[in-house]
Amino acid sequence: MRVENPEFIVIIPARYGSSRFPGKPLAKIGGEEMIVRVCRRASEAGVKVAVATDDERIRECVENAGFTAVMTSADHQSGTDRVYEAFCKLGKPADVVINVQGDEPFIAPSQIRALMECFIGDPATRIATLVREFDKSKGFEALFDPNLVKVTCDASGNALCFSRSIIPYVRGCEWQEWLDRAVFHTHVGVYAYRRDTLAEVTRLERSSLEKAESLEQLRWLENGYKIKTAQTSEPTIGIDTPADLEAAEEWLKAKNRAAE
């Protein structure tokens, strides 16, 4: 039975051995370890927070900052699997699990609350995620970036498709005109799941679309799960490489100067 006013927990998967940026969760941004910054930002949404990790150094850092950490297997193929193991080890302490990536140091509490609103009063919601209207000022060429995942939704705000390609395709005009002919949305990779749904999706086999695009959420759609979306306009900066970290530091400095 799915409750209408569920209890929430944020679980942050964080592994040490990133191929492009080893030790990334412990890299400092604004003088604070990235994983601690993510924990702090998430906790400002007023929910319980825990980190799921495979490394003692990350566990020690998180616990020294006053947050909960759970040791998980080093063999997980996805962050979702790591989150579910931690959730089970914590004794399944909530009705809805929010998966915030450990490399999202600028996640906004309002974004987490927007995901929570997808479940409050709506027991039919099983999975939710965030989408953002594409900023036209970045220019159409930015939509070609395969790391910028695009998404289309139905009239009720449920995701229809995710793709690294540009969707929708605008027929009958040159691509330079597309931004004036259609609204494009991009995906913000934060998810929330009902506890029973989280257990189910971790047991699914990888699907054909998932393998083609390397997007885990396509597996859920292919298996008939609806993914409700919430809109956000807040900026987020994912950190995948040391260069990303340097750019994020500059962005943070500029933001702090503007606030002075």
Side-chain angles (χ1 to χ4, degrees):
M1 180 178 178
R2 300 190 183 100
V3 296
E4 292 191 6
N5 294 294
E7 291 289 326
F8 296 90
I9 186 171
V10 170
I11 299 183
I12 305 164
R15 64 189 186 92
Y16 190 89
S18 169
S19 58
R20 289 189 289 177
F21 195 167
K24 178 170 62 174
L26 299 182
K28 290 190 176 182
I29 181 166
E32 184 176 51
E33 290 87 353
M34 191 182 311
I35 189 62
V36 174
R37 185 179 181 87
V38 178
C39 288
R40 182 169 54 78
R41 297 281 288 180
S43 68
E44 290 171 3
V47 294
K48 294 174 285 189
V49 174
V51 171
T53 187
D54 61 353
D55 191 270
E56 286 287 347
R57 289 163 290 189
I58 296 174
R59 179 196 62 76
E60 183 177 359
C61 174
V62 168
E63 291 182 347
N64 286 343
F67 296 99
T68 299
V70 181
M71 293 300 297
T72 57
S73 170
D75 299 327
H76 288 305
Q77 297 300 306
S78 73
T80 305
D81 295 333
R82 189 177 306 283
V83 163
Y84 184 59
E85 182 189 351
F87 180 66
C88 292
K89 285 187 172 180
L90 288 166
K92 300 183 178 180
D95 304 299
V96 175
V97 182
I98 301 172
N99 178 350
V100 175
Q101 299 303 313
D103 57 5
E104 289 281 356
F106 301 107
I107 186 75
S110 62
Q111 292 175 315
I112 294 173
R113 288 192 288 266
L115 282 177
M116 294 165 65
E117 288 295 327
C118 291
F119 295 86
I120 296 172
D122 188 355
T125 301
R126 303 182 71 184
I127 305 174
T129 194
L130 294 174
V131 300
R132 179 190 294 113
E133 186 172 332
F134 179 71
D135 182 358
K136 291 183 179 182
S137 68
K138 294 181 178 180
F140 184 79
E141 291 82 356
L143 276 179
F144 282 102
D145 183 355
N147 294 314
L148 187 69
V149 177
K150 278 65 73 174
V151 58
T152 55
C153 299
D154 67 18
S156 299
N158 296 306
L160 289 171
C161 188
F162 298 85
S163 182
R164 297 185 185 277
S165 297
I166 300 173
I167 50 175
Y169 177 91
V170 183
R171 186 181 179 188
C173 65
E174 296 296 323
W175 61 263
Q176 293 91 342
E177 303 174 33
W178 284 14
L179 287 179
D180 296 321
R181 301 292 187 93
V183 177
F184 295 86
H185 289 89
T186 57
H187 182 224
V188 180
V190 184
Y191 300 100
Y193 327 77
R194 296 274 179 187
R195 56 190 292 175
D196 56 337
T197 302
L198 177 58
E200 292 166 8
V201 299
T202 57
R203 294 193 290 266
L204 296 174
E205 295 292 329
R206 294 188 71 204
S207 68
S208 58
L209 285 176
E210 177 190 10
K211 291 176 182 178
E213 296 246 19
S214 190
L215 295 174
E216 184 183 19
Q217 63 270 37
L218 292 174
R219 182 195 319 178
W220 311 334
L221 290 179
E222 281 192 84
N223 281 275
Y225 289 89
K226 285 189 175 182
I227 303 176
K228 190 171 183 178
T229 67
Q231 292 268 352
T232 179
S233 59
E234 294 279 353
T236 55
I237 303 175
I239 310 297
D240 292 321
T241 66
D244 291 338
L245 182 66
E246 292 179 12
E249 281 277 15
E250 291 304 313
W251 181 87
L252 182 61
K253 289 176 183 177
K255 182 180 179 183
N256 291 338
R257 285 195 296 268
E260 291 176 354

